[in-house]
Amino acid sequence: MKWLVLLGLVAFSECIVKMPLRRVKTMRKNPSGKNMMNNFLKEHAYRLSQISFRGLNLTHPLSNYIDMLYTGNITIGTPPQKFQVIFDTGSSDLWVPSNFCTSPACSTQARFRYRQSSTFRLTNRTFCITYGSGGLKGIVAHDTVRIGNLVSTDQPFGLTLKEYGFENIPFDGVLGLNYPNISFSGAVPIFDKLKNEGAILEPVFAFYFSKDEQEGSVVMFGGVDHRYYEGELNWVPLTKAGDWIVRLDRISIGRKVIACSGDCEAVVDTGTAFIGGPRKLVKKIQKLIGARRRGNKDDAGRCSTTFQENRVRLSTESWLLGNVFLRVYLSVFDRGNDRIGLAPAV
């Protein structure tokens, strides 16, 4: 099995029209590594029929916003109120703006009107979340949430009262798909609730990000549609259960290793557009590919690299693999076996 290798710096730059966005130890090829691999595969075996198109509950369409954000529609309440959300593997909470939110960002978002829902239930729990690009404060409530034909009744979710950093971004909220242990609100994530209630046949979901800016992108729940990828899925175990983090072998240009020469890890994050890494190494990559820093002038029609420096300095070398990386693959997030599967996208 081939392990995750950023060979040749996949999609090292993307030609985009820049918009005023604020954004939203490997197993080496040695005897001991092979033994560890074999043990992992034996302990986490899957029958093909268990993770296939036959077991698929839902293929839900996503919209591509200039190759930076992929959003899909959900509804909350009775009768349903529609919201456009980011399906985010980097967080665990579901939240949308409340009609009490007066922040500038909320003025352009669809806001939940709780008085119009007959199934709404409020709690006295508050929460706050800080992202790399902004943050919010709100209160936890319960109501019926629908993702296509998947229905979660009495689903806990967040209603924001204050937001910052999300102005001019075309989405209303976030639907977190990470593990429940990293939830800021303490609420059961919707994927876990659906899984626990038997609404999802298999504990997996998958993403296909189309290069078409208009249509074609999807998120799948309960299985994988094989028509979206070529070859076989290559499975990468998580560093530990509880977060979508994997270990990297190396990052190279051609045959020269330029980062991650030792032990490093990466967060696989569908809510992030870029590839993020340590400041020193990102600057090294920018220099090697000939990128030059520009001022704050009009950059419309120019090419922009898709590498960004991590905003938080960590003790270990850590990377963030966002949509620019994930567009190359069909990505499968397997909660049942704590692993991520990657295969070349069609």
Side-chain angles (χ1 to χ4, degrees):
M1 179 181 289
K2 295 181 180 178
W3 290 103
L4 187 58
V5 178
L6 295 182
L7 182 60
L9 295 171
V10 177
F12 72 87
S13 65
E14 295 287 321
C15 218
I16 62 173
V17 177
K18 298 188 73 176
M19 302 292 286
L21 295 178
R22 303 282 184 88
R23 287 189 318 192
V24 174
K25 207 179 210 171
T26 62
M27 297 181 183
R28 305 290 181 179
K29 294 183 178 180
N30 54 42
S32 62
K34 290 181 180 178
N35 289 336
M36 291 175 65
M37 174 74 73
N38 291 333
N39 291 337
F40 174 81
L41 292 175
K42 288 178 182 178
E43 294 173 3
H44 300 82
Y46 243 133
R47 288 181 289 113
L48 180 62
S49 61
Q50 285 185 304
I51 186 163
S52 68
F53 182 48
R54 292 192 293 274
L56 193 62
N57 287 86
L58 173 69
T59 299
H60 195 61
L62 300 176
S63 299
N64 178 356
Y65 177 70
I66 62 171
D67 288 344
M68 297 187 74
L69 291 176
Y70 293 83
T71 61
N73 290 327
I74 66 169
T75 66
I76 303 176
T78 307
Q81 300 177 39
K82 186 165 68 174
F83 299 90
Q84 193 173 36
V85 298
I86 297 173
F87 289 80
D88 178 26
T89 59
S91 65
S92 299
D93 295 287
L94 166 62
W95 61 265
V96 296
S98 75
N99 59 334
F100 292 111
C101 181
T102 58
S103 301
C106 295
S107 64
T108 59
Q109 297 170 329
R111 287 178 280 185
F112 183 73
R113 290 166 171 77
Y114 74 95
R115 292 184 183 276
Q116 297 180 9
S117 176
S118 62
T119 48
F120 176 80
R121 180 166 67 89
L122 188 63
T123 75
N124 59 1
R125 303 202 317 268
T126 59
F127 72 99
C128 60
I129 303 176
T130 300
Y131 298 97
S133 56
L136 54 93
K137 296 180 180 180
I139 191 166
V140 178
H142 292 247
D143 212 327
T144 299
V145 178
R146 295 174 176 84
I147 309 171
N149 59 7
L150 292 175
V151 181
S152 178
T153 58
D154 201 37
Q155 171 65 44
F157 69 104
L159 283 174
T160 66
L161 302 175
K162 183 179 180 180
E163 298 179 18
Y164 63 91
F166 302 132
E167 296 83 4
N168 303 317
I169 302 181
F171 74 98
D172 302 316
V174 170
L175 190 150
L177 289 170
N178 210 325
Y179 285 71
N181 56 284
I182 67 169
S183 168
F184 284 91
S185 67
V188 178
I190 186 169
F191 182 80
D192 287 81
K193 191 167 182 295
L194 291 169
K195 173 173 65 71
N196 296 341
E197 294 174 349
I200 294 176
L201 295 179
E202 297 298 332
V204 300
F205 55 89
F207 285 89
Y208 171 79
F209 292 139
S210 171
K211 299 175 182 64
D212 188 325
E213 289 193 14
Q214 300 300 320
E215 57 186 14
S217 301
V218 296
V219 57
M220 295 164 257
F221 292 96
V224 181
D225 189 336
H226 299 293
R227 294 174 295 181
Y228 286 100
Y229 69 92
E230 300 174 333
E232 299 293 328
L233 284 165
N234 294 303
W235 293 104
V236 185
L238 304 184
T239 57
K240 62 179 179 179
D243 206 346
W244 296 117
I245 299 176
V246 297
R247 296 196 184 279
L248 298 183
D249 278 337
R250 60 192 176 273
I251 299 176
S252 60
I253 294 181
R255 296 182 179 181
K256 182 179 180 181
V257 177
I258 49 90
C260 191
S261 57
D263 186 19
C264 68
E265 60 186 25
V267 179
V268 184
D269 188 355
T270 59
T272 299
F274 304 98
I275 295 176
R279 180 178 181 182
K280 182 178 179 180
L281 294 175
V282 168
K283 284 187 174 182
K284 180 180 179 181
I285 291 172
Q286 305 284 33
K287 182 178 180 180
L288 287 171
I289 64 177
R292 293 178 295 176
R293 186 179 297 275
R294 296 194 298 268
N296 295 322
K297 296 179 181 181
D298 181 14
D299 293 326
R302 294 178 180 267
C303 289
S304 176
T305 73
T306 53
F307 290 97
Q308 285 202 349
E309 302 168 8
N310 287 338
R311 298 192 177 192
V312 179
R313 292 188 178 182
L314 303 172
S315 58
T316 58
E317 183 181 337
S318 298
W319 292 81
L320 191 65
L321 302 181
N323 297 334
V324 65
F325 174 83
L326 292 171
R327 271 201 306 275
V328 183
Y329 304 99
L330 173 94
S331 54
V332 183
F333 295 79
D334 183 355
R335 280 285 303 276
N337 289 314
D338 301 314
R339 61 183 182 173
I340 295 176
L342 298 170
V346 295

